[in-house]
Amino acid sequence: MAEDTPRKRLDADARREEIVRVTLDLAAKQGVDDVTTQDMAQAMGVTQGAVFRHFPSKDAIWLAVMHWVRDRLMAVLGRAAEQGRDPLDALARMFAAHIDFIAAHPAIPRVLTSEHLHTRSQALRQLVTEIMLGYEARVAGLLEAAKAEGLARADLDAHAAATLYIGMIQGLVLQASLLRGHRTLKAEAARTFPVFLQAVRPPNP
Amino acid sequence: MAEDTPRKRLDADARREEIVRVTLDLAAKQGVDDVTTQDMAQAMGVTQGAVFRHFPSKDAIWLAVMHWVRDRLMAVLGRAAEQGRDPLDALARMFAAHIDFIAAHPAIPRVLTSEHLHTRSQALRQLVTEIMLGYEARVAGLLEAAKAEGLARADLDAHAAATLYIGMIQGLVLQASLLRGHRTLKAEAARTFPVFLQAVRPPNP
DNA sequence: CGAATAAGGTAGTAATCAGTCACTATCTAA
DNA sequence: TTAGATAGTGACTGATTACTACCTTATTCG
C-alpha cells in the first residue's frame, strides 16, 4: 500500500518511469480525472515543480501512461494467446490473462475508457482507438481461425462477437468497481466467459 | 443543436428540470466531469449564481440527474418489455428500447459509468449500484422465465448472462463514442444482439 | 394598486489547478 | 579538485472552480 520510496535524485529515464507508475497507482485509488500533479509529486517525495522537468504537460504524462498500458497489455495478451492449443483455447487464455492483468493494475480499464482523457487531446483519443481496434481485430482473428477449424459456428459474425467480448470485460470491470468486495472480478469473469463461449460454439458437437 | 431558450424567470420546478436537462446535454457534448455550473447557466441564459438558488450543491444536481435517468430509463425498459410475446422477445424489445434511448440521450451511459461521479458522493454511488443491480435482476428474471418456457438452454447461468448483456451495451457505447460516425450505435447493436442470443438459445431447435 | 414573495443579477470569496522560473544541491568526468 | 550538467526546490502566476451575500427586478394576490 505504501510507496517503496526510491527517493530523490533519479535520472530522467527512471523518474519518467516512476511518474507513469505512480500516476497509474493514483488513478486506481482516486479516479483518473482526480489525479493532480501535486498528488504525483507527493507520491514520489518530490515537489510539484519537479514533475514538469520530465514532462512538458499533464497530457504528455497521460500519453506516456497510455503507451505503457498499450505495450504491457499487448505483450501480456500476445504471450497468453500463443500458448493456446487451438484458437478458442488461445482466446480463453487471453481473456484470463487480461483479467489477471486488470486485477494487478485496476487503473488500466479506467484509463482506457475514461471519457475525460478521450476529450483532452486528439493524440490520446487516437491511441485509445488504436488499442481498441487492435484488440478487437485480434479477437475477431482468433474467432475466424476457430471457424476455419470448425470450433466456432460457421455463421458467426466474428466482428460482432469481438464487440461482445470487449463489452464483457467492461461489464465485469464496472461490476467489480461498483460492488467492491461483494463480487470479485476473477470469480465473475470465470462464470461469464463460458456464457460467451456458448455464443461462439457450433450448434451440434 | 442550439438552445431553444425558454428564457428567464421560470418557477423553481421548471428551472430545476431545465438544469437537469442542460446538464445531460452538456455531459453528452463535453464529458461528464467537464460540465461546470458556469456552463449550465450559460446554456440556460442565466448567471452562474442563479443555479445555486435551486440546488444546494453541484452533487445535488448530479443526484437529480441520476434520478431523472433512473426514472425515465426504467419506464422505457418496462414499457418495452411488457409488449414482448415471450421472455426472449421482451428482452429483445428491451434492448432495442435501451439503444434507442441512449441514441436520444447519449450522456446517459456516461453518467451511469462515470467513475468521477461514483467517487464524489456515497449517495451517487449507491444510486448507480441500485440501477445496475435492478437492471441485471430484470434481465436475469427474463432469462429464467425463458428457461422455464424452454426458450433458453436449461443450463444457462442467468446471472452471468445478464452481466454479459449489460457489458454488451457498454461495449457498444464505447465503440460508438470512440469511432464517432464511423460506426453507428444502432447498426452495431443490431449485429451484436443476435450473437448474444446464441449464447442463450437452447442447443437444438 | 401595492406589498409580499420568489427568481435572477452582481460581485465577490477561498481553494485548487497546471505550468513557470530563478535558484540550489548533487552527480559526473576531465 | 573543479567545472559543467542535470535533478529538484520554492515561490510564484493566472485561470478556473464551486459556492455565497447582498441587492434588484419580476410576478402574484389580497
Side-chain angles (χ1 to χ4, degrees):
Chain A
M1 225 164 274
E3 300 302 321
D4 30 89
T5 53
R7 268 293 120 78
K8 299 191 193 182
R9 202 81 197 179
L10 295 187
D11 64 284
D13 281 346
R15 184 59 82 194
R16 262 192 296 270
E17 278 179 34
E18 218 211 340
I19 290 174
V20 168
R21 229 193 55 219
V22 302
T23 301
L24 262 180
D25 280 357
L26 290 167
K29 284 172 194 153
Q30 43 189 236
V32 169
D33 44 288
D34 286 335
V35 178
T36 70
T37 55
Q38 173 64 41
D39 293 335
M40 301 175 190
Q42 195 174 323
M44 298 186 296
V46 299
T47 58
Q48 186 239 0
V51 172
F52 286 92
R53 176 166 301 275
H54 304 288
F55 288 99
S57 68
K58 204 187 175 187
D59 281 356
I61 298 177
W62 281 118
L63 199 60
V65 169
M66 209 80 93
H67 274 113
W68 187 96
V69 167
R70 183 193 60 178
D71 295 345
R72 304 290 176 130
L73 184 60
M74 290 309 168
V76 164
L77 297 182
R79 230 174 296 140
E82 70 193 14
Q83 288 179 350
R85 289 178 312 274
D86 60 65
L88 283 194
D89 186 48
L91 190 66
R93 287 169 185 268
M94 207 166 84
F95 177 77
H98 194 157
I99 294 294
D100 284 347
F101 199 53
I102 288 174
H105 304 277
I108 286 179
R110 303 177 190 216
V111 168
L112 288 176
T113 63
S114 164
E115 157 185 52
H116 185 246
L117 293 185
H118 298 169
T119 52
R120 279 200 80 76
S121 88
Q122 183 56 32
L124 279 174
R125 184 188 193 80
Q126 208 168 330
L127 190 51
V128 175
T129 305
E130 177 200 314
I131 296 173
M132 288 292 175
L133 288 181
Y135 196 4
E136 188 192 278
R138 186 167 227 158
V139 173
L142 285 175
L143 290 173
E144 290 290 356
K147 278 165 73 172
E149 296 186 25
L151 293 169
R153 50 182 0 120
D155 63 338
L156 179 69
D157 183 338
H159 162 70
T163 299
L164 185 59
Y165 172 95
I166 292 178
M168 170 170 59
I169 295 179
Q170 277 181 261
L172 289 166
V173 166
L174 180 67
Q175 272 199 17
S177 164
L178 280 176
L179 307 167
R180 243 192 278 272
H182 299 266
R183 295 186 189 171
T184 78
L185 181 63
K186 292 187 74 166
E188 294 292 316
R191 280 182 72 174
T192 309
F193 187 74
V195 177
F196 168 79
L197 264 192
Q198 293 288 8
V200 170
R201 285 233 164 84
N204 287 325
Chain B
M1 226 163 272
E3 297 305 319
D4 31 87
T5 53
R7 269 291 123 79
K8 301 190 190 178
R9 208 81 196 179
L10 296 186
D11 64 282
D13 281 346
R15 186 58 83 195
R16 262 192 296 269
E17 278 178 34
E18 218 211 341
I19 290 174
V20 168
R21 232 194 50 220
V22 302
T23 301
L24 262 179
D25 281 356
L26 290 167
K29 283 172 195 152
Q30 51 193 137
V32 169
D33 44 288
D34 286 335
V35 178
T36 70
T37 55
Q38 174 64 40
D39 294 334
M40 301 175 190
Q42 196 174 322
M44 297 187 294
V46 299
T47 58
Q48 188 239 4
V51 173
F52 286 93
R53 176 165 301 276
H54 304 287
F55 286 100
S57 70
K58 202 187 177 187
D59 281 355
I61 297 177
W62 281 118
L63 200 60
V65 169
M66 208 82 93
H67 273 112
W68 187 96
V69 168
R70 184 194 58 180
D71 294 347
R72 303 289 177 131
L73 184 61
M74 289 310 166
V76 164
L77 296 182
R79 230 175 296 140
E82 70 192 15
Q83 289 178 348
R85 289 178 313 275
D86 60 65
L88 283 194
D89 186 48
L91 190 66
R93 287 169 184 267
M94 208 166 85
F95 177 76
H98 195 158
I99 294 295
D100 284 347
F101 199 54
I102 288 174
H105 304 276
I108 286 179
R110 304 178 191 215
V111 168
L112 287 176
T113 62
S114 164
E115 158 186 50
H116 184 246
L117 293 185
H118 298 169
T119 51
R120 279 200 80 75
S121 87
Q122 182 57 31
L124 279 174
R125 184 189 193 81
Q126 208 168 330
L127 190 50
V128 175
T129 305
E130 177 200 315
I131 295 173
M132 289 293 173
L133 288 181
Y135 196 4
E136 187 192 280
R138 186 169 225 157
V139 173
L142 285 175
L143 290 173
E144 289 291 355
K147 279 165 71 174
E149 296 185 24
L151 294 168
R153 53 185 355 121
D155 63 339
L156 180 70
D157 184 338
H159 161 69
T163 297
L164 184 59
Y165 171 95
I166 292 178
M168 171 170 58
I169 296 179
Q170 277 182 260
L172 289 166
V173 166
L174 180 66
Q175 271 199 16
S177 164
L178 280 176
L179 307 168
R180 244 192 278 273
H182 299 264
R183 294 186 188 171
T184 77
L185 180 63
K186 292 186 73 166
E188 294 291 318
R191 279 182 73 175
T192 310
F193 187 74
V195 178
F196 168 79
L197 265 192
Q198 293 287 8
V200 169
R201 286 232 164 84
N204 287 325

